[in-house]
Structure formats: C-alpha cells, structure tokens
Amino acid sequence: VHRLRSVDNLFVVVQEFKDHQFKENKEDALKDLEELVKKLPWTNPLKVWELNNSLKKKKTKRKKHNLQSAASKEKLNDNGEEEGTDQKDTSKQEDCAQNAEGVEPASGQDTEKTQGVASRNGEEEDEDDNEQSDAKDELQAGLESETKAGDGKTSEGEAKVLKFRVTCNRAGDKHSFTSNEAARSFGGAVQEHFQWKADMTNFDVEVLLNIHNNEVVVGIALTEESLHRRNITHFGPTTLRSTLAYGMLRLCDPQPTDIIVDPMCGTGAIPIEGATEWPSCYHIAGDNNPQAVKRAANNICSLLKKNENKESSTSLGIPLDIIQWDICNLPLRTGSVDIVVTDMPFGKRIGSKKKNWDLYPACLMEMGRICTPGTGRAVLLTQDKKCFAKALSRMGHIWRKGQTVWVNVGGLHAAVYLLKRTWERAEEKRSFW
C-alpha cells in the first residue's frame, strides 16, 4: 500500500460513525468526543500501526526526529479512504501545532485544519530529545503489553511511554466547536486512557480525528509525511504534487514507446513521475523559463543519484530530456508526439488571467500540431476554466474534449481535461524550419 502512487497519506481506521449527532452546546459536544475514546476498538488498529512501524523501519532506516519536524503533515479526505490526487485542501503546515487554518473549499463550507494540542492544560514535555527511534523495539514491546492488557492500560515500568498527538480536520458549519477544541478534548481523553504523553513534534503515534458534518472518522496515521514528496528536491512557485502528476499521466493511458511531452514543465514534476513509472515511454520536458529548466535538471540529477544508491552500481539513466523552448514555437516535428501532459499557468502565481486569453489558444494550436492526428491525446490541468473552455471552442476542429476531472490544487478548484486529437491536419506556421 505504501507503494501506491496516487495516495498522499495512509491511515488505519479505528472506527467510523456515519451519523454522529453532535450536541448543540459546545461543552456537551466536546464531552461526547471525550467519552468516545473509551468506547473505541483500539487494539487491532494499534497492531496495524505496530506492524507498519516494523515495515517502515526496515524500508527507510528512520532518521532520528527530523522526519517529523521536516514533514509538512497533510491529511486525507474525511471519509476514511486513502485518497491521493484530489479532494481536501492540504495546505502545508510545518507542525504549527495550534494554528487553525481556515480554507475556502469549493463547496463554500467552513473548513478548518488544525494540528490540535493534545495535552489538556498545555503541559509541555521536556523530554523531547529522548532517542525515540532507538527505543522503537521497547516501544513495540510496550505496545504488546498494552494491547494484551485489554483496555490498553500500560503495565508500568515495562516500556518507554509513547508520545502522541491528535490532529483534527473539521469541515461543516453546524459544529459548536473548532477543530482545535475538538483535538484538545479528544487528545486529553486519549492521554488519560492510554497514559501516553502529548508531544506535538516528536510523536510516535498520530491520532486523526476527521469530522465532516455528521460523519466522524477516528484513525491512526501510517505515514509520517505525505507520499507526494517523493521526487522533487528543487521546488518552484507552482511545483505540482507527484501524486497529482501520476493521476494525470494515468488518465492518458501511456503505451510502451509513446513519446510524452510536457511543454510547460516548470520544475519537472510530471515528466519525472512519468519517467519513473513509465520507463518504456520517452519523455520530453521543456519550459521557456531558464530558472525552471535549471530546477528541473537538478531534480533529474537527484533522481539519478537516488537510483544509483539503490542499485549500488552504475545507473541506467532515465528516458527523459529537458529543453528550454517557447511553447508557441516548439522545435518538434508535426505529428511526432503521442501524448501532451502539462500543468497550464493558472494566471495567479505564474502569468496572468489576461495573458491566458492569448496563451491558451496558441498553446492548444501548437500542441495540436505536434500531436499525432487521430491517436494523439492531451491531459491539461488548469484553474482558469472559463478561458480554457473558450480556447477549446475555438480549437474544436483539432481537439475533442473527452473527460473532465475536478481536482483541488492547494485550495484552488481546478480541472484536468482529457482531450483527443481529431484527424484534422493542423496548419503549419513554421518560420524557422
């Protein structure tokens, strides 16, 4: 499951409540959440967590604590599924323990995402620097003794006390409490129940409390940081998540020997994911910004280094080239490309909405020219949907819209369009050939 490419985070579900009736009074509602802790079936999920730790330990040779502190923890959607490429804004929060961040989701609900304080009266731990990783084996022994003790009460003196934190994601406008308050109450009850220590940064267990209207899901996190951080070491202003890049590539169903082009590659998230997952295709990446091309080249280099370490012999390289070019005059032969996959400028951080009105039709025209008539396809991501629809209606003779997938990109409501190339020949406008 850890190897799934479109999944951001994994957690094991302790229990789901489809229709939890929250009390109107804040104190009563929070009291209910506290009561819930004693009734939950913790034993099996904790066994899964323990098994996951032993697997993770073998796989990643855990670095002491910097994994957690570096991680910008990101959460899943509320209904307990592992959901990778879309849903739920996952704005980055560098362990900002008490910082409730309001996000505007597409549905206009009031959403909060908080890394809640799990200790009741703000007790701060002094023993942050305990070598928690080295104590993993004792921890597991401790956990076994805990789970055997039925209700999860630790046999004292047998093992190091686990550190934990509660993270609450709350969406919906009918709750009398904030996600911070829910995390604090729930965390306090977890602390009493297990006699664990609350610690916001160097925790062993992360308990997730997802509240979406009347649905409540309690889970235990199995990933320390989002799985989308797998390829990119040099970030640009709009670097795409690897999970979303994977989803876009999957949508166009690459076949062996296909030539896949990302004409506006930025830091190279899409072609790098493509070259890693579809090594039997040939990937070409390009951008007009020399800085972006440089960052993408650095990302490719670090991927090559990583591959070398893995096989501890010479790396075979990856089927990917990067070029600086102009999107409206691509140095590629007409009809020579099978697939175009790219993240179009939204007109927010890169470019502007006004420029998009000229850029989008010119891009679609040029992509149509390089794509093979009849079989070529394009997968394009943009948030400027109005402009894209207009450009597409002007290019209807070259591109037919196949499918639209709505995605949430850092809180922005965007769309991924799958386009099919028609048999129509594109006009040649080559001045420099």
Side-chain angles (χ1 to χ4, degrees), residues 6 8 77 83-88 243-244 405-408:
S6 61
D8 269 15
N77 71 332
E83 211 165 290
T85 50
D86 37 16
Q87 308 299 329
K88 278 292 147 238
T243 43
L244 191 46
V405 182
W406 304 109
V407 293
N408 186 329

Side-chain angles (χ1 to χ4, degrees), residues 71-75 88-105 109-117 167-172 177-181 183-184 211 241 349 408-412:
S72 67
K73 290 278 174 181
E74 275 143 1
K75 296 299 153 286
K88 278 292 147 238
D89 162 48
T90 41
S91 24
K92 295 188 177 62
Q93 287 163 291
E94 307 286 347
D95 282 325
C96 39
Q98 307 188 33
N99 181 10
E101 201 165 295
V103 192
E104 184 77 38
Q109 286 177 329
D110 107 69
T111 300
E112 290 185 46
K113 174 171 291 270
T114 313
Q115 319 238 285
V117 186
T167 301
C168 176
N169 301 318
R170 186 188 69 78
F177 50 86
T178 67
S179 50
N180 229 338
E181 291 165 335
R184 199 176 296 128
I211 299 169
R241 294 165 166 243
R349 290 185 192 164
N408 186 329
V409 183
L412 299 172

Side-chain angles (χ1 to χ4, degrees), residues 24-43:
E24 301 220 349
N25 176 329
K26 187 202 298 196
E27 278 68 32
D28 294 347
L30 293 174
K31 188 112 187 76
D32 273 1
L33 284 175
E34 288 176 28
E35 295 295 313
L36 200 59
V37 173
K38 296 187 194 101
K39 300 175 195 156
L40 293 171
W42 292 100
T43 313

